[in-house]
Amino acid sequence: MYQVYPMYRQIQDYVINQVADARMASSARIDEFHRDIIMIKSNYLATSIRQEQDLITQINGQPLSVNQQCLSFLRQSAEVNMNLAGVSYSTCITNAGDSLVTTVKAFYELLDTDEARYVGVGLFEEFRDENVFFDPQRIISKLENRVFRLEDYPTHIGSEVLDAVAGLSNMLENIRLNYINCMTLGEQMLRSALQLGLLQLEQTCNGNLIPVAEEAPVPPNVGATPEPTEEPTPEPETPAPEH
């Protein structure tokens, strides 16, 4: 027993540390995934809002001679299509979230399985159904066998958890790409609907597209506080010669 439990402690520490490193690495991957999803969502929403605003600007810029009821229908159509796009984007996000939960759950179950093979396994199973006085040699033989098994240090678990983390990263990347495809499809459908609105403005409502001034690019460092410049030190005046 005195020979077994120190080895058992070393193996437990090694396995626990390897699994803990994998959990920390997975936490970083998941955090990066969340940031990507949020950034992608923000970009698509900003693009969609800008497209809708372009159409509304054209509708509101029409003179009173254009059929106002027709323009009202176009406004309603733009609102409906934006709401449909909102549902589409929300579906993309929830689908990505569901896939994330399933993937992460499977990953942690794999880590738990690896850890359970070496951690928490009792050292005293060799005493089960034995008699320490009647035939102690049987127990000694079992303990020697345990020592032999423990000498096969589970260094392979290090590569196993690295493979698991790499697999998690690949799965998260696949979820991210599917999410982008889903968001792109929703944005394309909205873009088509809003472009149809511009066509209906001209063909159905008999309006005309108005020129819209493009925003001038903002020069770099606009609004930055200029660094203070040193005032030149005045040269001392030379007194005029006395006459």
Side-chain angles (χ1 to χ4, degrees):
M1 286 296 295
Y2 290 105
Q3 187 178 1
V4 174
Y5 79 82
M7 298 176 63
Y8 181 71
R9 168 65 185 275
Q10 292 175 5
I11 290 176
Q12 282 203 124
D13 289 348
Y14 175 78
V15 172
I16 290 172
N17 287 332
Q18 291 294 319
V19 172
D21 289 344
R23 291 181 185 275
M24 290 297 295
S26 68
S27 178
R29 301 294 190 283
I30 294 170
D31 178 68
E32 181 180 352
F33 173 84
H34 280 138
R35 285 188 286 109
D36 285 347
I37 294 299
I38 293 171
M39 181 186 68
I40 292 168
K41 175 191 71 69
S42 298
N43 290 339
Y44 275 94
L45 263 60
T47 299
S48 298
I49 292 171
R50 185 172 62 252
Q51 292 171 356
E52 182 206 22
Q53 190 57 50
D54 290 343
L55 175 58
I56 296 300
T57 298
Q58 292 293 334
I59 295 173
N60 293 341
Q62 299 301 308
L64 293 176
S65 57
V66 177
N67 188 321
Q68 296 300 306
Q69 187 180 43
C70 184
L71 297 180
S72 177
F73 289 152
L74 283 180
R75 291 188 188 93
Q76 295 174 26
S77 175
E79 182 179 0
V80 168
N81 283 298
M82 283 295 289
N83 285 329
L84 288 173
V87 173
S88 175
Y89 291 158
S90 295
T91 300
C92 295
I93 295 171
T94 54
N95 287 345
D98 291 343
S99 298
L100 173 66
V101 169
T102 301
T103 300
V104 172
K105 181 180 179 181
F107 171 76
Y108 284 124
E109 286 177 350
L110 178 61
L111 292 187
D112 290 341
T113 300
D114 285 340
E115 191 173 22
R117 282 187 291 170
Y118 301 98
V119 178
V121 179
L123 284 176
F124 309 119
E125 281 298 307
E126 283 72 14
F127 290 86
R128 188 179 300 278
D129 300 326
E130 298 293 346
N131 187 325
V132 295
F133 293 116
F134 179 72
D135 190 5
Q137 186 58 44
R138 283 173 54 87
I139 300 175
I140 293 173
S141 297
K142 289 183 178 181
L143 290 173
E144 288 175 346
N145 186 47
R146 170 64 71 92
V147 171
F148 176 77
R149 295 201 309 270
L150 290 179
E151 286 177 347
D152 184 18
Y153 209 68
T155 54
H156 58 84
I157 197 173
S159 60
E160 288 180 1
V161 295
L162 287 177
D163 291 342
V165 172
L168 174 66
S169 298
N170 292 334
M171 291 294 293
L172 293 180
E173 178 62 13
N174 290 335
I175 296 172
R176 190 184 73 89
L177 293 177
N178 289 336
Y179 171 71
I180 291 176
N181 291 336
C182 181
M183 295 290 283
T184 300
L185 179 60
E187 190 272 335
Q188 288 175 344
M189 289 189 294
L190 175 63
R191 182 192 299 268
S192 298
L194 296 178
Q195 288 176 343
L196 177 61
L198 289 174
L199 182 61
Q200 290 171 328
L201 173 64
E202 293 183 287
Q203 300 298 322
T204 305
C205 301
N206 203 26
N208 292 298
L209 298 183
I210 60 174
V212 178
E214 296 184 0
E215 295 182 1
V218 179
N221 298 327
V222 169
T225 304
E227 295 184 1
T229 56
E230 295 183 1
E231 294 290 336
T233 304
E235 296 290 336
E237 296 183 0
T238 304
E242 296 181 0
H243 296 286

